[in-house]
Amino acid sequence: MRASILTIGNEILKGNTVNTNMAHIGHILTYAGHEVHRALIVSDNPEEIAWGIRASLEAGDLVVTTGGLGPTFDDMTVESISNALGLKTEVDQRELSFLKERYAGRGIELTEGRLKMVRLPAGSRALHNPVGAAPGVYLRHDNKTIIILPGVPAEMKAILDSILPEIKSGDRKYAQETFPLEGIMESSLAPLIEKIMKKWGGKVYIKSHPQRSEMNNPKLNVEVSAWDKNMKMAMESVATVVAEIKENYRNYIGK
Amino acid sequence: MRASILTIGNEILKGNTVNTNMAHIGHILTYAGHEVHRALIVSDNPEEIAWGIRASLEAGDLVVTTGGLGPTFDDMTVESISNALGLKTEVDQRELSFLKERYAGRGIELTEGRLKMVRLPAGSRALHNPVGAAPGVYLRHDNKTIIILPGVPAEMKAILDSILPEIKSGDRKYAQETFPLEGIMESSLAPLIEKIMKKWGGKVYIKSHPQRSEMNNPKLNVEVSAWDKNMKMAMESVATVVAEIKENYRNYIGK
């Protein structure tokens, strides 16, 4: 199944915050059997969020979003996604009771900003947040799954963990191994990679990542990965290809 | 001027690599006077790259891309962008001579994979890479500017630095200050932020980032930023608002 990730937040676009959320979600989804095909970062702006959710759904059957669920004026993810998909929002009664406990129970007013956090798309399911106030959202729409998560990393991770058993793919497994190669240029290794990938007919994917400049004592990280219907088969393909590269790369040095 | 950033690479989507390139480019562009409006990450796939450049151009007058310029089979950024924009590619003679020196000068064959690195969109300008082999590209298209950079961070940074004087905005400056606030919940501070932002009529932007859970000894980072026609004015606005928040936030604790 193809997946997309949508991050909402100006602080990411300005480079104030490195998007580690995206990397975490990408890693989790990949090992849960979903090929992440596209990732988008949009600003805190209703039109951009609407564009983002449409472009994400276009590329994936599973869309995970992060950011914009809090109590401040610029937290507008749920409302913007609901509008974009033509859904009304309604207060989740169970989450409202948690919120009442959390705030009203301590004599703190349930302001409009706080109430907004439990106003969820009609037909969705709240994903309880064990760390913070704003719940996540699980939504099925047009035969696709949308999971809306907060941007605070600890909250995002906890909710994603809680929903993981439900979104794990049963019949697609991903295996990967990365190893260093020294003394060979990326451009020298390229023909070997191409040859092996052709032989495997798309079943195995090989990517080289230069760690130093080509000409000056080159160093690469080589990543070998495979998708298969079970983990054992995927791991075997990866191990075979890693061995094949290690046995043959010396013949390509200096070429 | 609005800007977009396009990152190309499966390793980002899988979460193998955290997208620090995006953060670096976002930071540099913001302080060069460009509002980064959208950032996209696409897989090493010609159709996705084509989609990515179109969606980036739709949102920005300046588009910076990173990744996919190397000598391997899955480095296809320049060709895919050229195809998407209806441009032919042609060998850059000056960069070809650098390449010849680099490889042929040491008895290394100029393979198709290596040659690909100096085949640039017709009408573009090569941005020499002082660190690695693949040059960047400066391209004007439909009154917009596209800058194509490698994905290796040191190479991306060096080329971006070299072109920065040309893309700096003369009449838009950005100033920002971030400070911590302890003992106040994000949802308690929210009405103050909203009030100040309304008073400034969109001239100043305030965003709070929770560092800990709301209920448990809360801690926020508060980011205040402003765009203005000169740096002095932008900095003054930011300093005034920072002082305003610090003076008033205590009145909002526990509300």
Side-chain angles (χ1 to χ4, degrees):
Chain A
M1 199 152 80
R2 282 190 169 181
S4 313
I5 302 168
L6 174 62
T7 308
I8 296 113
N10 297 346
E11 70 278 17
I12 305 284
L13 294 168
K14 287 176 186 175
N16 286 341
T17 304
V18 175
N19 199 356
T20 53
N21 278 1
M22 198 243 112
H24 178 82
I25 297 169
H27 178 85
I28 295 282
L29 292 185
T30 302
Y31 281 90
H34 304 284
E35 202 167 335
V36 181
H37 206 60
R38 196 182 275 182
L40 314 176
I41 300 112
V42 297
S43 55
D44 300 302
N45 171 301
E47 284 82 34
E48 278 295 298
I49 297 171
W51 176 84
I53 192 70
R54 284 192 295 261
S56 299
L57 284 166
E58 186 190 296
D61 302 303
L62 169 65
V63 176
V64 178
T65 83
T66 174
L69 299 195
T72 61
F73 77 96
D74 58 352
D75 288 309
M76 45 182 90
T77 297
V78 170
E79 197 189 342
S80 304
I81 289 181
S82 302
N83 284 343
L85 304 180
L87 301 171
K88 291 198 188 311
T89 58
E90 46 196 37
V91 169
D92 184 283
Q93 293 303 326
R94 200 174 141 81
E95 286 294 329
L96 177 64
S97 71
F98 288 123
L99 211 64
K100 278 185 176 158
E101 211 173 293
R102 206 178 166 87
Y103 293 105
R106 308 189 191 197
I108 301 173
E109 195 194 339
L110 220 51
T111 57
E112 180 48 36
R114 290 178 180 128
L115 255 177
K116 177 175 70 173
M117 296 193 280
V118 298
R119 205 171 281 131
L120 309 184
S124 72
R125 171 156 60 98
L127 301 173
H128 187 65
N129 184 339
V131 184
V137 179
Y138 179 95
L139 176 63
R140 290 282 299 169
H141 183 80
D142 280 352
N143 284 319
K144 303 196 171 195
T145 301
I146 302 170
I147 294 172
I148 302 175
L149 302 174
V152 178
E155 303 183 14
M156 176 276 292
K157 287 178 187 173
I159 302 178
L160 185 57
D161 277 354
S162 75
I163 190 73
L164 198 55
E166 274 187 68
I167 62 170
K168 239 179 200 160
S169 162
D171 58 353
R172 288 203 81 205
K173 301 293 172 190
Y174 177 81
Q176 176 187 306
E177 193 179 325
T178 301
F179 61 98
L181 272 191
E182 299 210 30
I184 184 163
M185 296 189 293
E186 184 179 39
S187 57
S188 297
L189 187 68
L192 176 62
I193 291 184
E194 219 171 321
K195 193 177 141 192
I196 297 178
M197 281 197 57
K198 265 191 193 146
K199 198 177 72 179
W200 283 74
K203 221 183 148 188
V204 168
Y205 179 76
I206 311 169
K207 188 156 189 171
S208 52
H209 302 284
Q211 304 299 299
R212 284 197 294 256
S213 166
E214 288 241 299
M215 305 313 281
N216 248 328
N217 186 19
K219 185 182 170 187
L220 307 174
N221 278 343
V222 182
E223 171 198 318
V224 178
S225 61
W227 291 95
D228 218 318
K229 57 181 179 249
N230 70 55
M231 193 45 127
K232 195 166 163 280
M233 289 167 80
M235 285 174 76
E236 273 174 13
S237 303
V238 168
T240 307
V241 167
V242 168
E244 207 170 343
I245 297 170
K246 285 181 177 171
E247 267 162 36
N248 292 290
Y249 82 93
R250 282 183 196 84
N251 302 328
Y252 291 79
I253 293 175
K255 286 196 176 154
Chain B
M1 200 154 78
R2 281 190 169 182
S4 313
I5 302 168
L6 174 62
T7 308
I8 295 112
N10 296 346
E11 70 277 16
I12 305 285
L13 294 168
K14 287 177 188 174
N16 286 340
T17 305
V18 175
N19 199 358
T20 52
N21 278 1
M22 199 246 110
H24 178 82
I25 297 168
H27 178 86
I28 295 282
L29 292 185
T30 302
Y31 282 90
H34 303 285
E35 203 168 334
V36 181
H37 206 59
R38 196 182 275 182
L40 313 175
I41 300 112
V42 297
S43 56
D44 300 303
N45 171 302
E47 285 80 35
E48 278 295 298
I49 298 170
W51 176 84
I53 192 71
R54 284 192 295 261
S56 300
L57 284 166
E58 187 188 296
D61 301 304
L62 169 65
V63 176
V64 178
T65 83
T66 174
L69 299 195
T72 62
F73 77 98
D74 58 353
D75 288 309
M76 46 181 88
T77 298
V78 170
E79 198 189 342
S80 304
I81 290 181
S82 302
N83 285 342
L85 304 181
L87 301 171
K88 289 196 189 314
T89 58
E90 46 197 35
V91 169
D92 185 283
Q93 293 302 324
R94 201 174 139 81
E95 287 296 327
L96 177 64
S97 71
F98 288 124
L99 211 64
K100 279 184 176 159
E101 212 174 290
R102 206 177 164 91
Y103 293 105
R106 307 190 191 195
I108 301 172
E109 196 194 337
L110 221 50
T111 57
E112 181 48 37
R114 290 177 180 127
L115 255 177
K116 177 176 69 174
M117 296 192 282
V118 298
R119 207 171 280 130
L120 309 184
S124 72
R125 170 158 60 98
L127 301 172
H128 187 65
N129 184 337
V131 184
V137 178
Y138 179 95
L139 175 62
R140 289 282 300 168
H141 183 80
D142 279 352
N143 284 320
K144 301 195 171 198
T145 300
I146 302 171
I147 294 172
I148 303 174
L149 302 174
V152 177
E155 303 183 14
M156 176 276 292
K157 287 177 186 173
I159 302 177
L160 184 57
D161 276 355
S162 76
I163 190 74
L164 198 54
E166 276 186 67
I167 61 171
K168 240 179 200 159
S169 162
D171 57 355
R172 287 204 81 206
K173 301 292 172 191
Y174 177 81
Q176 177 188 306
E177 194 179 325
T178 301
F179 62 97
L181 272 190
E182 299 210 29
I184 183 163
M185 297 190 291
E186 185 179 39
S187 57
S188 297
L189 187 68
L192 176 63
I193 291 185
E194 220 172 320
K195 191 177 143 193
I196 297 178
M197 281 196 59
K198 266 192 192 144
K199 198 177 73 179
W200 283 74
K203 221 184 149 188
V204 167
Y205 179 76
I206 311 170
K207 188 157 189 169
S208 53
H209 302 284
Q211 305 298 299
R212 284 197 293 255
S213 166
E214 286 239 301
M215 304 313 283
N216 247 330
N217 186 19
K219 186 182 169 186
L220 307 174
N221 277 343
V222 182
E223 172 198 317
V224 178
S225 61
W227 291 95
D228 217 318
K229 57 181 180 248
N230 71 54
M231 193 47 126
K232 194 166 165 281
M233 289 166 80
M235 287 175 74
E236 274 174 13
S237 303
V238 168
T240 307
V241 169
V242 168
E244 207 169 344
I245 297 170
K246 286 182 178 172
E247 268 163 37
N248 293 290
Y249 83 92
R250 282 184 196 83
N251 303 329
Y252 291 79
I253 291 176
K255 288 197 178 156

